[in-house]
Amino acid sequence: MTKTSDWNEKKLVEDRLIDQLIEMGYEHIHGPLLDSERETMREVVLKERLEKAILKFNDWINKTNLSKLVRSITHIESTSLMEANEKLHDMLVSYISIQQDRGKGKKSHTVKLIDFDHPEENEFLVVDQLSISDAKGTIRPDLVLYVNGLPLVVIECKSPMLSVEEQLGKAIKQMNRYQNDHEQLFHYNQFMIATSNDRAKAGTIGAKAQHFSEWKDPYPRTVPEIGDNPTRQDILVTGMLTKENLLDLIQNFIVYEAENGKVIKKLARYQQYRAVAKGINRIVNAPSPTDRGGVVWHTQGSGKSLTMLYLAVKLRRIQVLENPTILIVTDRKDLDEQITNTFKRCGFPNPQQAEGVRHLKKLLQQGPGSTIMTLVQKFQTNDEEEEYPLISKSENIFVLVDESHRSQYKGLAMNMRQALPNACYLGFTGTPIDKEDKSTTRTFGPYIDKYTIEQAVDDGATVPIFYEARMTELHLQGETLDRLFDRKFRDYKEEDRERIKKKYATEEAILAAPKRIEQIVMDLIEHYENHIMPNEFKAQIVAVNRMAAAQYKQKLDELSNLESALIISTGPNDSENELLKDYGVTPDEEKQLIERFKKPFSEDKLSILIVCDKLLTGFDAPIEQVMYLDKPLREHNLLQAIARTNRTREGKDYGLIVDYFGVSNFLEKALAIFSKQDVEGALLPIESELPKLKQEHRRAMSFFDYINSEDVESCIHVLEPEDVRNRFEKAFKGFSKMMDMILPSPAASPYIEDLKFAGKVRQLAKSRYREEEMDISDCGEKVKQLIAEHLHATSVEVLHDPVDILSNRFDKRIEEAPTNEAKAAEMEHAIRHEIKVKIDENPVYYTSLREKLELLIQSRKDKQMDIVDMVEQLRDIVQDMRNVNQKGQDLGLSREQYPFYQYFEKKLPGEDNKDAVEALTHLVTEIIQEESVIEWTKKPDVQRVIKKKIKKQLRASVLSREDLEEVTQQCVSLGAIHYKK
C-alpha cells in the first residue's frame, strides 16, 4: 500500500524536479528501461552511451583503445572511494592520455569524455528509480543524472510532509548509506542533492549533513526569472543543474584538499560561484582593460582563499585569455603561506612562491602561464633603484590581492602597479575601507560581488559572534584613564601630575599593570574552564604589547594548569629582559605551536594562544571559540580580529568576544565605514539572544502543558507517537542549544530547572522507545553536565543503551514498570527495535513477527483485548524471539543456517517439500562457506562464482524459474551477513 508521504514525495518533489530538468533539455528515462543497456544490475555506467560520446568527441580513436578506455573508466583502481572519485574527476577535467598511431607513429593523445566548451553537444539524462544490486542488496536512488553515460549526480527526494529535520536529514543519511554499501555508483559522483522541494541542499561524498549547503542564487539567472514563488528546490536546480552551470561546476569549482592526512572534496558554495562568474564576466566583457578590475567583498571566514583558487582555475581555462600570468598578493607572511598551501593542497599546477625581492622580479619575467605567490613587501626597491622598474606592459596579467583593504594605498602598492601597469587588479576583502584617504573600491574598481556577515551566518558559512563585557571596572579608554590617574596621584601638584602622566601614565602602562592582569587572568581562567573548555574549544588572548602578553602567560602558568603558548615577535634585547627571555620561540617552533592549537582537544591540550599583533588577521582556526580582548583595536582591525572566532566547526554554534578593555566603545566607529546593511549582526551582546531562548523554551515545554510534571510516566507517554517524539526532539535541541549559548549569563537561570526536567524525560523516553538518536550526547557539554547531574540526583539510571530484550535484566525492567500500560509500551518498543536491528539477518522470521505485532496493537486499538491480555501476548512474542535459535537446533541446523531454511520454506511451502528445503539449506550454505575468502563481500569476482554455483543448485531444485534471480541474490545477501569473513 502506498503511503501518503510517498505520494507527496513522488508528485510534489520528484516529478516537479524531472519536469524542470526536461525544460532545461534533459531527456527523462525510467530506470527499468535502462536495464537492457546494462550487462548486470551492478553496473552503473551506461557503456554504449559512453562509447558513443567518446567517438563523437574523439573520432580518431580505434576499437582497441576505445575498449581499453571504457574499461579504465568502469574499473577504477583505487584503495578508497575518495581516491576513485578524484581519479574520475581528473579524467573528466584533465582528459585521459592514450597511445595510438594516427599516421605519424605512435604518440600520446588526450581523450575527452565531456565537451565542456559546448554543453549542448553532450547527452544529459535524468533517470528515476534505477535499481543497482550487489551482494549487499538493492538500492534505488530517486534520481540519477547521467552525462554521456556517466552517473554524475545523485538526488534523493523526501516528502515535504515529513518534519523539517527528517526531510533533508533522512535523504542525506540514505545517500551516506549508499556510499558505504554501494560504493561504485559514487566513484563517478560529482555532487549529491537532498531535496523536499521546500528545502534543498547539495554536498559531496564523505560530507556530513552540516556540510551540505543551499544554493540561494541561480546566477546568471535571477530568482524572479524562474517563475512565481519558486521553491528552494527550483532555485538550486536552476543554479546548479542547467547544462552550462553543471559542467562549469564540475570543471572549475571542485577541488580535493588534503587536511590532516585526509582528503576532503570541496564544492563551491553559491556565493563563491557567483563571485567568480561575475569576475570573469567583467574581465571578458569590459569596455576597456582599465575597467576589468574590482572588489570581491566576502565576509571573514566565508572561504575567500578558495574563491581566489576557483577564479585562478577559471582564468587558466578561458581560451581568449591565452594562458595568463596570475599573481596572488598578500601582506602578511602567514597569509602568504596559507594561500600558497591552499593552492598546493588543492592540486593547482605549479604555484611558485617568491622567496625575495630579486626572485619576485625573476618570476614576473617568465611570461604567460605562471602562477606566482608573493608578499606585497617584496615590491620594494633596492639600493640602486630610485623607483621600481617596469617589468611587463602585458594586459594578460591578473593580480589577485588578498585582504585588499590593507597595504594597497602606499608605496609598495604603487611599485607593484608601476611594475605591471596594464595588469588587471582584483581585490578580495572581508573588511573594505571607504575613507577619504583610503578607499578599496577607488583603488581596485567597483564591487564585483558582496556577501555580508548576516548572509554568511544565515547560510551557516560562519557562526554568529557575540560580545560579553567582563570586569568593566577595569575597562580603560580616554577619560577613564585620566580619572584613574588623577585619583591615583591626587596628592601631587598639578604640574607634577602632568609631568608624571606624560612619562608613565600611558594607556599601555596602565593596561600592562601586573595587578590588573592578575585580576583579569583569575576571571579568564574561571570563564574558560567553566564555559568554553567543557565543549572542547580553544581561546586566544590579545594583549596590548609584548610585555603584557608575557605577563598573561606568566600568570596563566602560575594560577592554572591550562596549557598556553605565547606567539609574539622577538626583539633584539629580549635576552636581557627577565620576562621575555623565557618565552621566545623560533619561527619553526611558532609554526608547530599553531598546528598544535588547531588540533582537536582530544589530540592536543594546548588551549590558549596569547598574542599582541600576530594571528589577528588571516588566522584560520575553527577550534577557537573565544577571544579575550584586552587591547584597543579600531575600524577594520577590530572586525578582522573578532572574525577569528566565526569559523564553523561541529558543535560550535557561536563565537564569543570577551572584552576586558572596553572595545565595544570603538565598535560604532568601526562599523561607520560600512553601510548599515552590510555589517548587520557584526557583534551582538549575548543577551540579544534572550527572546530566542524564551521562544525555544516555550516550544520544548509546551509538550507537557497539561500534565503534572511530577508524574514522569505520563510525560514519557506523551512522547510515545513517533511524530511527537520527532517534534519534541527538534524543540529540545533548540532549547538546549540556546541554553548552551547563554550560560553562564544569569539571564539563563530561570530556565535551568525546565532544561533538567526536559532532559530527564527525553532520556527516559529514549530508553523506553528504543530511539537511538534521542540522546544527550549531541548536546553541549554544559547542558549534558546539568542533565546528567539531575538524573543522578533523582536516582534515574543514565541509559545510553536500552536493556537488551534477550537479557535477564529486561525481565526485571518489565517487572519494575509501574503500570500495565508502561509494561506493554516497554515490550512493544523493545520488540520493534529487535526486529529493526535483525530483519536483514532473517527476513522471513522477523517480517512475520512484525506482522503479528501490528495485528496485536490493532486489536488493542479496536478494543478487542484488554491491557492484561496484551501484556501476556507481548511476553509470548518476547519468549518466541528468545527461542528462535533453539528451533533451528531442533532441526539440526546451525544459527547461521536457520534463516536460509526459513527462506526456502517460504518459497517452497508444504510438507512434500520439507526434504528439498533442508537439502537446499545445506547445499547453499556449504557453497558459501567453501568459496568465501577474507572480505569476499567486497570482491565481485568471488561473488560471481558463488552466485553461479548457487544458481546451478537452484536450477536443479523444484524452485520456479521466475524466482531464480531473486532467490540467488537473497542467498548471497544472507551469506554476506552470516558468513562474512
Side-chain angles (χ1 to χ4, degrees):
M1 182 177 171
T2 304
K3 293 186 290 186
T4 309
S5 60
D6 295 338
W7 182 87
N8 284 320
E9 179 184 310
K10 179 81 174 73
K11 295 286 182 184
L12 302 181
V13 186
E14 195 175 310
D15 289 352
R16 181 187 181 107
L17 207 159
I18 290 170
D19 290 344
Q20 191 177 355
L21 290 172
I22 291 170
E23 283 180 29
M24 292 176 179
Y26 284 68
E27 181 187 350
H28 172 221
I29 298 180
H30 189 47
L33 297 177
L34 290 174
D35 290 350
S36 60
E37 296 187 30
R38 302 187 292 159
E39 290 178 20
T40 69
M41 298 283 276
R42 188 174 185 276
E43 283 188 4
V44 294
V45 174
L46 306 176
K47 289 182 188 174
E48 288 181 18
R49 294 173 189 268
L50 176 61
E51 288 174 356
K52 184 180 174 184
I54 292 170
L55 288 169
K56 179 179 180 180
F57 305 139
N58 315 272
D59 56 5
W60 46 267
I61 196 168
N62 62 35
K63 282 188 176 181
T64 303
N65 270 333
L66 179 62
S67 178
K68 281 183 185 175
L69 190 65
V70 170
R71 179 163 179 82
S72 72
I73 293 165
T74 55
H75 295 76
I76 301 172
E77 292 183 13
S78 65
T79 56
S80 68
L81 169 57
M82 188 62 76
E83 184 186 349
N85 191 273
E86 186 172 3
K87 280 186 175 181
L88 188 278
H89 182 261
D90 191 56
M91 290 179 194
L92 294 180
V93 301
S94 302
Y95 306 144
I96 304 173
S97 180
I98 60 168
Q99 295 277 326
Q100 186 171 313
D101 187 346
R102 294 173 62 184
K104 296 182 180 179
K106 208 170 192 181
K107 292 181 181 177
S108 283
H109 303 279
T110 55
V111 179
K112 64 179 175 182
L113 308 179
I114 292 175
D115 188 344
F116 288 103
D117 298 324
H118 308 95
E120 291 298 331
E121 293 299 311
N122 302 282
E123 181 192 51
F124 291 78
L125 302 181
V126 52
V127 179
D128 64 319
Q129 302 304 314
L130 180 75
S131 295
I132 301 162
S133 300
D134 59 20
K136 291 187 177 180
T138 299
I139 61 168
R140 289 181 194 84
D142 289 331
L143 299 175
V144 180
L145 306 190
Y146 277 87
V147 178
N148 300 339
L150 297 172
L152 301 187
V153 181
V154 172
I155 303 173
E156 273 303 316
C157 304
K158 293 298 172 193
S159 169
M161 304 297 286
L162 293 170
S163 70
V164 172
E165 299 70 42
E166 286 186 301
Q167 287 174 22
L168 300 194
K170 278 193 168 182
I172 292 168
K173 276 185 185 173
Q174 199 166 329
M175 289 189 288
N176 285 338
R177 192 170 67 247
Y178 289 169
Q179 288 172 62
N180 293 330
D181 295 346
H182 302 272
E183 189 179 291
Q184 193 184 10
L185 173 64
F186 293 90
H187 287 180
Y188 309 91
N189 183 262
Q190 300 307 296
F191 54 85
M192 298 167 283
I193 293 169
T195 180
S196 64
N197 192 34
D198 296 336
R199 287 161 189 80
K201 290 186 176 183
T204 57
I205 59 165
K208 295 181 179 178
Q210 64 263 33
H211 298 128
F212 275 66
S213 56
E214 290 183 74
W215 198 273
K216 292 185 174 180
D217 190 330
Y219 189 86
R221 295 181 69 186
T222 63
V223 171
E225 287 174 2
I226 300 174
D228 295 333
N229 300 314
T231 65
R232 292 182 189 180
Q233 174 178 297
D234 298 336
I235 294 168
L236 180 143
V237 170
T238 305
M240 299 187 79
L241 300 182
T242 59
K243 293 179 180 180
E244 296 80 5
N245 286 19
L246 175 58
L247 297 192
D248 195 12
L249 284 168
I250 292 169
Q251 188 181 32
N252 301 306
F253 294 91
I254 288 173
V255 294
Y256 296 80
E257 187 167 11
E259 291 181 4
N260 301 319
K262 182 183 177 184
V263 175
I264 297 172
K265 182 177 182 180
K266 295 184 177 180
L267 170 72
R269 291 174 179 261
Y270 74 89
Q271 78 275 7
Q272 294 171 318
Y273 180 80
R274 182 184 65 201
V276 172
K278 284 182 176 180
I280 295 294
N281 186 46
R282 182 174 294 183
I283 288 164
V284 172
N285 298 311
S288 71
T290 55
D291 295 315
R292 296 178 298 168
V295 177
V296 174
W297 176 5
H298 283 197
T299 193
Q300 297 297 312
S302 58
K304 287 196 306 303
S305 295
L306 279 176
T307 305
M308 294 172 81
L309 173 70
Y310 295 136
L311 178 58
V313 167
K314 187 104 176 178
L315 287 169
R316 277 268 167 272
R317 287 215 171 93
I318 294 178
Q319 290 182 2
V320 294
L321 299 181
E322 299 174 337
N323 199 19
T325 294
I326 298 171
L327 178 64
I328 313 289
V329 180
T330 60
D331 67 346
R332 295 179 69 104
K333 190 175 180 183
D334 53 351
L335 286 178
D336 187 38
E337 289 290 335
Q338 179 187 316
I339 204 157
T340 300
N341 288 334
T342 298
F343 271 62
K344 284 179 179 175
R345 286 198 306 264
C346 294
F348 194 88
N350 196 29
Q352 299 169 286
Q353 196 169 10
E355 294 168 6
V357 176
R358 287 183 182 175
H359 188 226
L360 174 60
K361 288 176 183 172
K362 186 179 176 183
L363 292 176
L364 289 171
Q365 290 164 352
Q366 290 176 131
S370 53
T371 304
I372 303 159
M373 338 292 280
T374 186
L375 290 166
V376 71
Q377 289 85 340
K378 289 170 186 171
F379 276 100
Q380 58 189 275
T381 54
N382 60 36
D383 295 338
E384 298 87 48
E385 296 170 337
E386 287 187 17
E387 60 179 38
Y388 203 86
L390 171 70
I391 291 178
S392 174
K393 288 185 177 181
S394 172
E395 294 177 359
N396 200 24
I397 298 173
F398 293 87
V399 183
L400 280 54
V401 182
D402 191 22
E403 300 301 354
S404 55
H405 60 280
R406 302 191 306 250
S407 310
Q408 291 302 309
Y409 317 105
K410 298 176 184 175
L412 292 170
M414 185 179 72
N415 289 350
M416 179 170 69
R417 289 167 188 268
Q418 195 157 313
L420 310 167
N422 299 322
C424 170
Y425 290 86
L426 298 150
F428 289 77
T429 181
T431 50
I433 293 175
D434 190 11
K435 294 168 66 177
E436 206 169 301
D437 60 333
K438 297 177 181 179
S439 170
T440 311
T441 49
R442 276 207 304 276
T443 303
F444 288 91
Y447 286 118
I448 292 169
D449 192 56
K450 280 187 185 183
Y451 186 59
T452 66
I453 293 167
E454 203 167 37
Q455 287 172 327
V457 170
D458 187 50
D459 290 346
T462 62
V463 296
I465 306 172
F466 293 107
Y467 167 88
E468 182 181 0
R470 290 181 74 84
M471 304 195 76
T472 52
E473 71 278 8
L474 296 179
H475 285 189
L476 273 185
Q477 17 86 29
E479 65 205 41
T480 311
L481 180 62
D482 290 335
R483 284 205 311 272
L484 186 67
F485 179 83
D486 289 340
R487 203 161 52 239
K488 188 94 172 170
F489 293 92
R490 61 187 179 279
D491 296 331
Y492 287 70
K493 291 178 184 176
E494 189 174 340
E495 58 199 48
D496 290 336
R497 276 209 310 267
E498 286 303 316
R499 183 170 47 80
I500 295 167
K501 186 189 289 188
K502 211 168 189 179
K503 189 169 183 182
Y504 300 109
T506 62
E507 195 172 59
E508 288 194 13
I510 301 293
L511 286 171
K515 281 289 182 190
R516 179 180 179 275
I517 288 177
E518 184 176 60
Q519 283 181 274
I520 290 173
V521 167
M522 287 167 65
D523 182 73
L524 184 154
I525 290 166
E526 184 183 354
H527 183 275
Y528 179 77
E529 287 184 341
N530 291 334
H531 310 302
I532 305 299
M533 194 166 76
N535 288 346
E536 299 195 341
F537 292 114
K538 299 186 180 184
Q540 214 175 335
I541 298 173
V542 184
V544 69
N545 56 29
R546 297 189 315 130
M547 279 296 292
Q551 286 184 73
Y552 268 107
K553 170 65 177 164
Q554 186 183 53
K555 287 296 175 185
L556 267 175
D557 291 347
E558 182 186 319
L559 299 171
S560 78
N561 293 321
L562 295 170
E563 189 175 353
S564 61
L566 194 60
I567 306 288
I568 56 174
S569 305
T570 53
N573 301 319
D574 285 359
S575 59
E576 298 169 18
N577 186 299
E578 282 299 317
L579 194 56
L580 292 175
K581 71 178 182 181
D582 296 332
Y583 297 123
V585 293
T586 65
D588 282 344
E589 288 170 334
E590 180 181 307
K591 199 171 181 180
Q592 286 171 10
L593 287 169
I594 291 169
E595 285 174 4
R596 286 183 57 202
F597 179 78
K598 290 182 176 183
K599 287 181 179 177
F601 211 89
S602 56
E603 293 178 27
D604 201 305
K605 295 295 188 289
L606 176 57
S607 309
I608 300 173
L609 292 184
I610 307 160
V611 304
C612 54
D613 292 311
K614 289 191 170 191
L615 310 186
L616 295 184
T617 59
F619 176 54
D620 193 359
I623 200 164
E624 181 181 331
Q625 184 174 37
V626 62
M627 175 178 280
Y628 297 106
L629 195 52
D630 192 24
K631 176 176 180 166
L633 294 171
R634 292 169 174 82
E635 293 185 347
H636 64 276
N637 291 322
L638 175 57
L639 292 182
Q640 283 274 319
I642 66 176
R644 298 314 102 210
T645 66
N646 79 347
R647 305 309 197 259
T648 59
R649 185 181 173 89
E650 191 170 358
K652 180 176 167 185
D653 299 316
Y654 64 98
L656 181 63
I657 304 301
V658 173
D659 181 9
Y660 290 112
F661 176 80
V663 81
S664 64
N665 295 282
F666 300 119
L667 187 62
E668 199 171 318
K669 289 180 183 175
L671 301 183
I673 60 174
F674 308 102
S675 73
K676 189 176 178 183
Q677 181 186 354
D678 291 333
V679 288
E680 198 77 44
L683 195 61
L684 301 168
I686 198 106
E687 288 75 17
S688 67
E689 293 296 284
L690 271 178
K692 201 180 286 184
L693 170 60
K694 289 178 183 176
Q695 183 182 349
E696 295 295 345
H697 165 260
R698 184 83 286 278
R699 282 178 65 204
M701 297 308 295
S702 65
F703 288 82
F704 315 108
D705 274 351
Y706 305 106
I707 296 165
N708 179 358
S709 60
E710 292 181 12
D711 183 358
V712 177
E713 191 60 43
S714 296
C715 294
I716 297 169
H717 184 67
V718 167
L719 302 180
E720 182 167 10
E722 188 177 2
D723 61 328
V724 176
R725 281 203 305 280
N726 288 334
R727 292 203 311 276
F728 173 70
E729 180 69 358
K730 186 193 175 198
F732 179 83
K733 282 183 177 175
F735 179 26
S736 70
K737 177 181 171 181
M738 293 310 302
M739 285 294 282
D740 195 66
M741 187 181 292
I742 292 178
L743 285 169
S745 169
S749 300
Y751 307 98
I752 288 175
E753 290 307 313
D754 281 349
L755 178 69
K756 291 176 181 177
F757 163 78
K760 174 181 173 179
V761 172
R762 182 177 187 251
Q763 194 70 358
L764 292 168
K766 181 252 183 185
S767 179
R768 168 76 53 84
Y769 304 122
R770 308 280 164 147
E771 194 71 73
E772 291 173 16
E773 292 177 15
M774 251 182 133
D775 189 2
I776 62 170
S777 62
D778 56 359
C779 298
E781 195 63 34
K782 288 180 280 185
V783 169
K784 272 202 309 199
Q785 286 175 6
L786 273 173
I787 295 168
E789 285 166 12
H790 180 63
L791 291 172
H792 181 73
T794 53
S795 303
V796 174
E797 190 179 359
V798 182
L799 297 163
H800 289 280
D801 294 309
V803 179
D804 188 344
I805 198 170
L806 305 180
S807 155
N808 290 332
R809 282 176 61 217
F810 182 76
D811 293 335
K812 184 171 181 285
R813 183 76 175 271
I814 299 302
E815 293 311 314
E816 288 173 352
T819 64
N820 279 322
E821 283 78 6
K823 286 179 170 61
E826 195 77 56
M827 283 191 283
E828 178 200 330
H829 290 279
I831 293 166
R832 284 190 190 282
H833 178 75
E834 190 77 358
I835 291 170
K836 181 182 172 184
V837 169
K838 293 188 175 177
I839 194 162
D840 289 340
E841 291 181 17
N842 192 337
V844 173
Y845 174 70
Y846 286 103
T847 300
S848 68
L849 210 62
R850 184 167 60 194
E851 289 167 357
K852 187 175 180 181
L853 179 65
E854 296 304 335
L855 283 171
L856 191 61
I857 291 164
Q858 193 58 50
S859 294
R860 173 67 182 152
K861 282 181 183 174
D862 296 341
K863 298 184 178 176
Q864 293 174 357
M865 70 167 64
D866 61 25
I867 190 66
V868 176
D869 286 340
M870 184 176 185
V871 168
E872 287 310 307
Q873 293 206 39
L874 286 168
R875 284 186 198 277
D876 291 343
I877 292 177
V878 170
Q879 200 54 46
D880 191 66
M881 293 169 87
R882 290 173 173 176
N883 295 336
V884 64
N885 291 332
Q886 186 59 46
K887 292 178 185 176
Q889 288 173 21
D890 293 345
L891 292 167
L893 299 170
S894 67
R895 183 175 64 83
E896 292 81 12
Q897 288 177 314
Y898 191 49
F900 289 86
Y901 179 87
Q902 288 191 291
Y903 180 66
F904 291 134
E905 193 177 36
K906 183 183 177 184
K907 287 292 176 184
L908 298 169
E911 284 295 320
D912 296 344
N913 289 325
K914 279 207 174 292
D915 290 343
V917 166
E918 196 170 329
L920 267 180
T921 300
H922 286 291
L923 286 167
V924 168
T925 54
E926 279 169 18
I927 289 169
I928 295 170
Q929 288 179 83
E930 285 170 7
E931 298 298 332
S932 61
V933 295
I934 299 296
E935 293 196 336
W936 70 272
T937 55
K938 295 180 181 178
K939 296 177 178 175
D941 293 344
V942 177
Q943 291 170 39
R944 271 196 291 273
V945 171
I946 291 173
K947 277 185 180 178
K948 189 175 178 182
K949 290 194 171 185
I950 289 174
K951 202 174 278 188
K952 185 178 179 183
Q953 288 295 344
L954 294 177
R955 281 198 185 98
S957 72
V958 291
L959 198 72
S960 71
R961 291 290 173 266
E962 292 78 20
D963 286 346
L964 205 60
E965 191 66 44
E966 180 200 326
V967 175
T968 302
Q969 184 60 55
Q970 185 59 43
C971 288
V972 175
S973 296
L974 284 172
I977 293 168
H978 293 285
Y979 294 102
K980 190 176 183 179
K981 291 187 178 180

